[in-house]
Amino acid sequence: MDEEHVKSKTSLLALFKSSPSSSSLSYSSSSSYSSSNTSSSSTSSYTAQNAIHSFTPVRTGFKASHHSHVAKNEAIESMGMRFFNDIFGHGGILKWKDVENRFDRVAWTGNSPEPVMSWPEFGFCIGIGMQSSPELARELLRALRGCQDWKSDITKTELHSFWLRMNEDSFNSRMRMFFDMCNRNMDGRITETDIKQTILLTASINKLSVTRDEAEDYAGLIMESVDKKNKGYIEISEMESVLKSSLLKEHSPVMKLKEIIQEESDDYEEEQERMSKTEVLFRTYWRRCWVVMIWLIGCLGLFVWKFEQYRRRSGFEVMGYCLPTAKGAAETLKFNMALVLLPVCRNTITWLRKDRRLNYVVPFNDNINFHKLIAGGIVVGVILHGGTHLTCDFPRISDSDKSIFRQTIAAGFGYHQPTYMEILATTEVASGIGMVVLMAIAFSLATKWPRRRSPVLPLSLRRVTGYNTFWYSHHLFVVVYVLLIVHSMFLFLTDKWIEKTTWMYIAFPVLLYAGERIFRAIRSGSYEVDIMKASLYPGKVLHLKMQKPDGFKYRSGMYIFIQCPQISPFQWHPFSLTSGPQDEYLSVHIRTLGDWSYQIYALFQEAVLSGLQGGPKLYIDGPYGSASQDHVKYDILVLIGLGIGATPFISILKDVANGVQTSQTDHSGLRECSLTKGSPSKAYLYWVTREQNSFDWFRDVIKEIVGSTKQKSVVEMHNFLTSVYPEGDVRSALLSVIQALNHAKNGIDIVSRTPIHTHFARPNWFNIFSRLARKHVGAKIGVFYCGPSNLATELKNLCTKFSTKTTTRFVFHKENY
């Protein structure tokens, strides 16, 4: 091999050692801009060596002594199995016995002396993973057969020989197999056309959108970087360098937690004590605990007080302990029916959270969770109160001894001992039953499955459920509160006005809530917005850019409610603001996840396609505070969004990128050891999505943030696409090659089509947290998450673990709507 060829291989190897990885390396967004800024001066003679200066890895703490040349070679050999075995599912290549059993299931006897199977069944027989990638199974079979007529029937003997070849552990043998998959002419040379076809196949397997023109450009980019002698083809030795370096960069060792702790003591000079798990849990939950404890003490105290009161009354002789139990539960019901309204007084909560001292002790971010908790208390109270009355009190009244009845409670019934049915027909009981029925409907439709119209529900139920049904059914509580007053005015055993205390409990909350609704109706009437621009994105996402009303002020992380009278004059739906406070407009991103959002998307789609200006009339109400507003409390921000869950964090990124002083004493909470005046010193965004076209949603916003010269050192963004196989997998290896080359030359990621690098597959959150703990020793990191609950549990546990094992404190927040 000549000297120039050796230099070409060395240059390409250096490129992949410096390319980004989702599993072991983290890259500052500033590196993206350096490559972007140089892209305008790039020429066709651009070499892969320049990529070294475009991708600068953030120090991960792995010392050079840990990476000897011998260790690298051993790592490559040990990864030989993984390089190809990932194709065949979690269990790797099936055992021959299993392969044989599958062959027997699909084999048939034709003119040949032994059973055969048709070639399309090859993927089914070899491994589970192949069934989801039939194109790859076809290419592998072609490479194994190495002949023109490879689409012939397969015998068991031939299948066994294929299985033996795929089970060879040598990296070189597996490398040869991959090379043959790319080498369609079987002449030992991969041409630009071969690379183009392999790129299109790889993109299809990974559900990526790559046009033929783009594939041709990417193939030319690889040839330009590797084929320095302009031979017009790549040999196996050159392809080996590409894939070896691709594997190496993905499988650097990850530091264990104890190594991170040891490194902290070496790097951090100041003495800081790590918190115990008890202390971390106390710091995390003490606000919630004291509120819930006061609520429980209040409920228990009211129950005991009323229980003791009625245990001493004459009715106890007729109904026994059933009476004080029902009355005690009734007292907690009054309390909870009053309290349940307070957490949904959004304007009041937004105003109260401005007070830093109150915001420090009251968990305003959990208002919806507290609302649900109180609703649970109401359910328990209704069951205890109503159930005791219906099954115990009323039967005892109708069946009690007449003499005891006359001596005790006869006056309350007009000296007439009623039957059970006569008791049910009274005003107090009928109104109570009516309340129970209405609350049962509202509570049932507010649960997760009916509210989100879950597929697990029968089709007949799905037709009558959804967010709209939940929203309208909740207004049944207007009737419930009227019936509650009526119910309290006609009590059996109470004649004194002062003992009819229901109105005392609910007067203030009802007036406050009613006042809020009136205020919102008046304010929203003056907040009719003009649509400046409406954009339709893949995945049925609607982006609205609206004119900001006069006097409309908000903080990053807030949200608004939107009403479209053309759909419904009553429905208001919450959406996070994706515009920054400094912007002269308001913007929201609406994904069609329910009936209302589908309707508004359809209205704007019709307007956009017909070329009409504006669109349907919209009103807004807000702004309202959310958990994301607490970002000003922390030194470092970690923003994690799944899919459309990234929306609450866009305005925060704009704030941090532009150095906006968002920590005002009128809205922020207490700040502990902030590194800057009024805003975090750094923000990380981890955006995880399953479809490539999701990156279109915020492409303009990301480019806007990238274009800001102020944010190079304070904002770091990472995209993760879960539809692509992990980096290091043979099915995505070529994509990693193209991705690094294209980003180095043009400063643009081939997947997201932005300067932000896209990692493949799901993030390894433990690795991410470990890097953050090492990089920001002793800092207070706010972790903000918006997405499904299952990942929230994992992230919360990681925050607790790293807060107890390192001196870095992670505080978890989850968005709730």
Side-chain angles (χ1 to χ4, degrees):
M1 187 177 296
D2 57 20
E3 182 180 356
E4 186 178 358
H5 196 177
V6 173
K7 288 182 178 178
S8 174
K9 288 178 61 179
T10 306
S11 174
L12 190 61
L13 182 60
L15 164 67
F16 288 105
K17 287 179 181 178
S18 61
S19 59
S21 165
S22 66
S23 61
S24 60
L25 296 180
S26 174
Y27 291 83
S28 172
S29 58
S30 60
S31 62
S32 301
Y33 312 113
S34 63
S35 59
S36 179
N37 293 336
T38 60
S39 63
S40 58
S41 60
S42 300
T43 64
S44 58
S45 62
Y46 186 96
T47 63
Q49 184 66 31
N50 295 109
I52 300 175
H53 307 291
S54 299
F55 288 91
T56 306
V58 174
R59 182 175 67 88
T60 58
F62 303 122
K63 295 180 173 57
S65 59
H66 293 169
H67 298 287
S68 65
H69 180 70
V70 175
K72 290 180 180 179
N73 290 336
E74 290 178 352
I76 290 174
E77 287 301 322
S78 66
M79 289 181 293
M81 283 294 288
R82 164 170 157 35
F83 186 63
F84 277 91
N85 280 3
D86 276 352
I87 302 175
F88 305 101
H90 297 295
I93 299 175
L94 294 174
K95 295 180 179 180
W96 172 244
K97 182 178 180 180
D98 298 323
V99 174
E100 190 176 24
N101 289 335
R102 291 191 174 203
F103 176 88
D104 293 337
R105 288 165 57 184
V106 298
W108 54 281
T109 303
N111 297 327
S112 57
E114 59 178 315
V116 296
M117 71 173 186
S118 59
W119 68 268
E121 302 289 352
F122 174 73
F124 166 75
C125 289
I126 292 300
I128 299 173
M130 277 293 190
Q131 293 177 258
S132 60
S133 304
E135 302 93 344
L136 188 62
R138 182 186 63 205
E139 294 302 316
L140 179 58
L141 177 61
R142 182 186 56 76
L144 288 168
R145 278 188 154 167
C147 58
Q148 295 294 329
D149 186 23
W150 58 273
K151 290 187 177 181
S152 58
D153 295 336
I154 304 172
T155 64
K156 183 181 293 188
T157 302
E158 188 179 17
L159 181 63
H160 186 252
S161 67
F162 295 159
W163 179 82
L164 290 175
R165 288 176 61 185
M166 288 186 291
N167 270 286
E168 293 181 13
D169 294 345
S170 169
F171 177 83
N172 290 333
S173 63
R174 292 173 181 274
M175 178 64 240
R176 181 79 224 186
M177 193 183 305
F178 178 73
F179 185 85
D180 290 341
M181 290 171 66
C182 299
N183 180 23
R184 296 175 180 274
N185 294 329
M186 295 299 172
D187 57 0
R189 299 174 178 181
I190 298 178
T191 64
E192 186 171 337
T193 302
D194 291 333
I195 295 176
K196 175 184 173 181
Q197 292 176 334
T198 305
I199 290 172
L200 290 172
L201 172 63
T202 303
S204 175
I205 292 172
N206 289 278
K207 301 178 182 178
L208 293 183
S209 174
V210 175
T211 65
R212 291 190 173 272
D213 290 340
E214 289 174 333
E216 189 171 345
D217 292 339
Y218 298 151
L221 191 60
I222 293 177
M223 296 297 295
E224 176 187 335
S225 301
V226 180
D227 184 22
K228 297 302 180 182
K229 297 182 67 174
N230 295 322
K231 298 177 296 183
Y233 59 84
I234 299 176
E235 296 178 337
I236 190 170
S237 59
E238 295 162 320
M239 180 62 74
E240 181 180 343
S241 296
V242 171
L243 296 179
K244 274 188 177 181
S245 55
S246 179
L247 284 175
L248 255 179
K249 78 181 182 70
E250 298 306 331
H251 295 276
S252 298
V254 177
M255 293 190 73
K256 297 179 181 179
L257 202 53
K258 61 182 180 180
E259 294 174 336
I260 299 170
I261 299 170
Q262 181 61 40
E263 289 274 343
E264 275 196 2
S265 61
D266 297 337
D267 295 342
Y268 195 56
E269 296 180 357
E270 296 182 14
E271 287 292 330
Q272 287 200 8
E273 293 184 1
R274 290 187 290 271
M275 293 185 293
S276 65
K277 187 173 182 179
T278 303
E279 184 179 358
V280 171
L281 293 176
F282 175 78
R283 285 174 175 260
T284 303
Y285 297 110
W286 72 268
R287 295 171 182 83
R288 302 175 190 175
C289 287
W290 82 262
V291 171
V292 173
M293 285 186 64
I294 289 179
W295 174 68
L296 290 174
I297 291 171
C299 290
L300 182 61
L302 289 171
F303 181 89
V304 172
W305 169 64
K306 211 64 175 179
F307 184 94
E308 289 298 322
Q309 188 180 95
Y310 272 83
R311 196 168 66 87
R312 299 185 180 94
R313 295 198 174 184
S314 57
F316 183 79
E317 297 183 31
V318 176
M319 291 169 275
Y321 283 99
C322 297
L323 175 63
T325 300
K327 291 298 183 179
E331 205 67 18
T332 65
L333 270 174
K334 300 175 191 176
F335 175 63
N336 286 326
M337 288 295 289
L339 207 59
V340 76
L341 293 174
L342 299 182
V344 291
C345 292
R346 297 185 181 91
N347 284 293
T348 303
I349 291 176
T350 301
W351 175 71
L352 288 175
R353 71 188 300 148
K354 295 178 182 179
D355 187 281
R356 58 184 301 178
R357 291 168 296 184
L358 193 60
N359 193 28
Y360 180 70
V361 297
V362 179
F364 290 113
N365 295 334
D366 290 309
N367 62 315
I368 299 300
N369 290 330
F370 191 51
H371 175 74
K372 295 176 181 178
L373 178 64
I374 298 170
I378 291 175
V379 171
V380 173
V382 166
I383 294 174
L384 193 57
H385 174 70
T388 305
H389 269 327
L390 293 173
T391 61
C392 185
D393 287 339
F394 298 164
R396 289 194 176 195
I397 291 173
S398 59
D399 296 336
S400 64
D401 184 86
K402 293 184 178 180
S403 60
I404 298 177
F405 176 80
R406 283 194 298 268
Q407 296 172 10
T408 53
I409 60 175
F413 294 89
Y415 296 98
H416 167 68
Q417 187 172 0
T419 63
Y420 187 82
M421 295 305 298
E422 287 176 337
I423 296 175
L424 295 182
T426 58
T427 303
E428 50 269 51
V429 177
S431 60
I433 293 175
M435 281 192 293
V436 171
V437 172
L438 294 178
M439 284 193 288
I441 295 172
F443 284 165
S444 299
L445 294 175
T447 54
K448 182 179 178 180
W449 286 355
R451 190 176 74 251
R452 298 186 179 181
R453 194 173 284 178
S454 174
V456 301
L457 294 174
L459 181 61
S460 57
L461 288 179
R462 285 206 301 269
R463 291 174 179 173
V464 295
T465 56
Y467 184 86
N468 285 349
T469 306
F470 151 74
W471 194 87
Y472 283 117
S473 66
H474 247 53
H475 286 75
L476 292 174
F477 277 94
V478 174
V479 182
V480 169
Y481 278 96
V482 172
L483 291 175
L484 182 61
I485 295 295
V486 173
H487 182 75
S488 66
M489 294 296 102
F490 297 91
L491 298 180
F492 287 132
L493 306 176
T494 302
D495 294 327
K496 297 179 181 179
W497 175 258
I498 197 170
E499 291 187 2
K500 299 179 179 182
T501 58
T502 301
W503 67 273
M504 300 179 188
Y505 281 95
I506 68 173
F508 175 75
V510 167
L511 289 175
L512 177 64
Y513 183 76
E516 278 223 358
R517 294 298 294 263
I518 294 171
F519 172 73
R520 288 168 56 184
I522 296 173
R523 181 177 62 178
S524 61
S526 61
Y527 278 172
E528 179 182 352
V529 291
D530 295 325
I531 306 299
M532 300 170 61
K533 182 180 179 181
S535 304
L536 305 175
Y537 292 136
K540 290 190 178 295
V541 171
L542 172 65
H543 174 219
L544 295 179
K545 189 175 181 180
M546 303 168 285
Q547 186 174 6
K548 184 189 292 187
D550 295 335
F552 190 93
K553 297 180 180 180
Y554 65 97
R555 304 292 182 184
S556 56
M558 284 186 162
Y559 67 97
I560 59 174
F561 279 82
I562 295 180
Q563 181 212 67
C564 180
Q566 192 170 339
I567 300 175
S568 171
F570 306 109
Q571 294 181 43
W572 293 85
H573 294 259
F575 297 98
S576 298
L577 285 165
T578 52
S579 53
Q582 71 280 3
D583 292 330
E584 297 300 323
Y585 59 88
L586 302 177
S587 69
V588 294
H589 287 70
I590 302 174
R591 188 176 187 186
T592 51
L593 296 174
D595 38 15
W596 186 90
S597 56
Y598 271 105
Q599 292 178 64
I600 196 169
Y601 180 88
L603 290 174
F604 277 98
Q605 183 182 42
E606 182 180 354
V608 170
L609 295 179
S610 60
L612 298 177
Q613 294 294 326
K617 182 186 299 183
L618 294 181
Y619 291 96
I620 65 171
D621 176 42
Y624 294 104
S626 68
S628 297
Q629 274 190 276
D630 288 343
H631 70 274
V632 295
K633 295 180 179 180
Y634 301 100
D635 309 324
I636 308 295
L637 297 182
V638 176
L639 311 173
I640 301 172
L642 269 59
I644 201 64
T647 51
F649 309 132
I650 300 300
S651 62
I652 297 176
L653 287 176
K654 288 185 175 182
D655 256 5
V656 177
N658 295 313
V660 177
Q661 303 301 305
T662 55
S663 180
Q664 305 290 337
T665 56
D666 63 342
H667 78 285
S668 70
L670 289 181
R671 292 174 50 82
E672 297 177 23
C673 52
S674 173
L675 302 181
T676 61
K677 293 183 179 180
S679 63
S681 62
K682 193 172 183 67
Y684 297 87
L685 173 66
Y686 295 92
W687 183 22
V688 185
T689 184
R690 68 179 64 174
E691 297 175 352
Q692 182 188 13
N693 56 24
S694 301
F695 294 121
D696 294 348
W697 304 344
F698 305 114
R699 182 170 294 138
D700 293 339
V701 179
I702 289 175
K703 289 181 178 179
E704 179 183 339
I705 296 174
V706 167
S708 172
T709 58
K710 299 179 181 179
Q711 61 78 52
K712 292 185 179 181
S713 61
V714 296
V715 172
E716 185 174 316
M717 291 182 281
H718 297 268
N719 296 332
F720 291 84
L721 184 59
T722 60
S723 68
V724 182
Y725 289 97
E727 290 154 327
D729 190 308
V730 65
R731 290 165 289 188
S732 62
L734 201 55
L735 293 177
S736 298
V737 174
I738 301 167
Q739 188 181 45
L741 287 172
N742 191 74
H743 200 298
K745 182 174 182 178
N746 303 314
I748 298 296
D749 182 78
I750 65 169
V751 179
S752 67
R753 293 178 172 84
T754 68
I756 307 304
H757 174 73
T758 300
H759 306 285
F760 299 158
R762 291 180 174 85
N764 187 319
W765 294 113
F766 182 89
N767 294 353
I768 290 172
F769 274 73
S770 66
R771 288 194 297 271
L772 291 170
R774 288 206 66 258
K775 188 175 181 181
H776 303 288
V777 177
K780 182 180 178 184
I781 300 180
V783 179
F784 294 83
Y785 170 72
C786 185
S789 302
N790 51 354
L791 180 57
T793 303
E794 178 185 349
L795 294 174
K796 187 185 298 183
N797 292 336
L798 285 172
C799 287
T800 302
K801 175 178 289 186
F802 279 89
S803 294
T804 55
K805 302 301 183 181
T806 69
T807 59
T808 306
R809 184 186 171 196
F810 293 85
V811 183
F812 182 78
H813 297 268
K814 183 181 183 299
E815 286 289 342
N816 296 300
Y817 292 106

